[in-house]
């Protein structure tokens, strides 16, 4: 029993030490995507600016952009945009650039994550703006 308690305490101490390490950068969460460095934050800001307010007149104008990357693979989130007022090719290029930046940050930091599949929720036109179609929230706001 003492060995079990000792192992538990050592495991807790290791977790606490890692959590308090000021040199460690948290790049594995979507909320920190904009703070992963000037380039990563700048790219995400450019993506948001290019997507704009996603105005639409019909759902056929609405699309989704996979945003970022998680260490296990797949996007961190999806961003709705409208083809009516967006340069789709430029937006997709920036999306790929941000994905590569996030993958490089994960690799450099040795990041890991849970392996979950985030399906594309699609986008629909609601009250003149493209919004994600499923109940899945957008993390790229």
């Amino acid at each position: 029993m003492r060995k079990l308690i000792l192992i538990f305490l050592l495991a807790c101490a290791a977790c606490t030490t890692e959590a308090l390490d000021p040199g460690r950068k948290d790049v594995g969460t979507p909320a920190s995507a904009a703070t992963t460095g000037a380039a990563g934050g700048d790219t995400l800001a450019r993506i948001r600016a290019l997507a704009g307010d996603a105005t639409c007149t019909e759902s056929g104008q609405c699309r989704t952009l996979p945003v970022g990357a998680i260490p296990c693979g797949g996007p961190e989130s999806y961003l709705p945009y409208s083809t009516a007022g967006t340069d789709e090719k430029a937006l997709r290029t920036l999306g790929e650039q941000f994905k590569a930046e996030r993958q490089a940050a994960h690799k450099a930091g040795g990041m890991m994550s849970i392996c979950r599949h985030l399906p594309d929720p699609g986008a629909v036109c609601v009250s003149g703006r493209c919004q994600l179609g499923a109940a899945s929230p957008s993390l790229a706001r």
Side-chain angles (χ1 to χ4, degrees):
M1 183 66 161
R2 287 182 181 177
K3 287 183 182 181
L4 182 60
I5 293 173
L6 180 61
I7 290 171
F8 176 75
L9 290 175
L10 288 173
C12 288
C15 291
T16 304
T17 302
E18 185 175 331
L20 297 177
D21 182 2
R24 180 183 168 141
K25 293 187 179 189
D26 182 21
V27 295
T29 61
S32 68
T35 61
T36 58
D42 182 54
T43 305
L44 184 56
R46 289 172 46 204
I47 288 170
R48 289 179 179 154
L50 191 57
D53 59 3
T55 57
C56 58
T57 56
E58 62 176 335
S59 290
Q61 297 171 325
C62 298
R63 304 275 189 280
T64 55
L65 177 74
V67 178
I70 58 173
C72 194
E76 294 174 60
S77 64
Y78 288 91
L79 178 73
Y81 69 93
S82 173
T83 58
T86 303
D87 180 352
E88 225 176 330
K89 185 176 179 182
L91 185 64
R92 295 249 175 228
T93 299
L94 281 175
E96 286 299 316
Q97 178 182 336
F98 186 63
K99 175 183 174 183
E101 290 169 2
R102 295 293 289 145
Q103 288 172 330
H106 294 317
K107 186 175 181 180
M111 294 289 123
M112 295 174 45
S113 71
I114 60 169
C115 294
R116 63 168 169 70
H117 173 69
L118 183 63
D120 186 341
V124 293
C125 187
V126 178
S127 300
R129 292 189 59 177
C130 293
Q131 299 178 3
L132 293 180
S136 180
S138 172
L139 302 175
R141 291 183 186 166

